[in-house]
């Protein structure tokens, strides 16, 4: 995984818990790099999971809830630092539909070695979108948080249901239905 994800996770943790707690938690995780991440580096997803688990144990907040919060955090990070990804996207569905065909294409130009998840979308109705998230990484809750943050960004309310994608391993389907 790209280091920018790790850097932002630690920024979120510092914002929530303070720098001293972040240092203490990273010491307990006992990572090979001692928790020194650079935004352009590549690191194993297992380290990210270990860090989230350690913050969960420290805070009493479930790892799933922390991943969702991190999804919200990253949406803010992306909008602040990559505003061009949002140009011309007038609602949450248009942004979600642009992830693979536009946004990830640009990400690959910036980071050719990035291993990105796959986002397939299908518009089932004007107010219903099926999003299939495929990734070998255990970050479905993070993805769910990003979807929620996307809806928040456009001041939209929706019901989100999810389940395993039929006949596909490492894939989750999100059924997103906008409230009228």
């Amino acid at each position: 995984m790209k280091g920018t994800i790790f850097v932002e996770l630690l920024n979120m943790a510092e914002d929530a818990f303070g720098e001293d707690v972040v240092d203490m938690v990273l010491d307990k995780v006992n990572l090979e790099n001692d928790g020194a991440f650079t935004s352009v580096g590549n690191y194993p997803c297992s380290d990210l999971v270990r860090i989230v688990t350690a913050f969960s144990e420290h805070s009493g907040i479930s790892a799933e809830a922390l991943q969702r919060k991190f999804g919200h955090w990253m949406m803010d990070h992306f909008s602040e630092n990559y505003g061009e990804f949002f140009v011309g996207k007038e609602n949450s569905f248009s942004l979600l539909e642009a992830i693979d065909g536009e946004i990830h294409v640009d990400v690959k130009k910036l980071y050719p070695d990035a291993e990105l998840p796959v986002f397939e979308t299908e518009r089932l109705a004007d107010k219903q979108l099926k999003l299939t998230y495929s990734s070998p990484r255990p970050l479905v809750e993070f993805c769910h948080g990003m979807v929620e943050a996307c809806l928040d960004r456009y001041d939209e309310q929706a019901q989100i249901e999810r389940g395993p994608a039929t006949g596909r391993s490492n894939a989750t389907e999100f059924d997103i239905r906008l409230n009228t």
Side-chain angles (χ1 to χ4, degrees), residues 75-107:
M75 179 61 73
D76 290 341
H77 171 76
F78 292 145
S79 65
E80 290 171 13
N81 295 283
Y82 301 96
E84 65 274 15
F85 292 160
F86 299 86
V87 173
K89 311 304 181 289
E90 300 198 11
N91 56 51
S92 61
F93 286 2
S94 64
L95 182 61
L96 293 170
E97 290 169 327
I99 293 173
D100 261 11
E102 295 175 38
I103 296 169
H104 280 177
V105 170
D106 288 341
V107 170

Side-chain angles (χ1 to χ4, degrees), residues 3 8-9 13 21 33 40 53 70-71 94 115 117 132 160-161 168:
E8 287 306 312
L9 175 64
V21 169
N33 66 352
V40 295
T53 301
F70 186 46
S94 64
E115 296 174 2
T132 304
I160 303 170
E161 295 181 18
R168 296 172 62 181

Side-chain angles (χ1 to χ4, degrees), residues 153-167:
R153 175 178 177 76
Y154 293 98
D155 199 28
E156 296 171 329
Q157 305 294 313
Q159 301 299 315
I160 303 170
E161 295 181 18
R162 71 173 207 232
T166 306

Side-chain angles (χ1 to χ4, degrees), residues 133-137 168-172:
Y133 166 76
S134 302
S135 176
R137 298 179 189 106
R168 296 172 62 181
S169 61
N170 297 321
T172 301

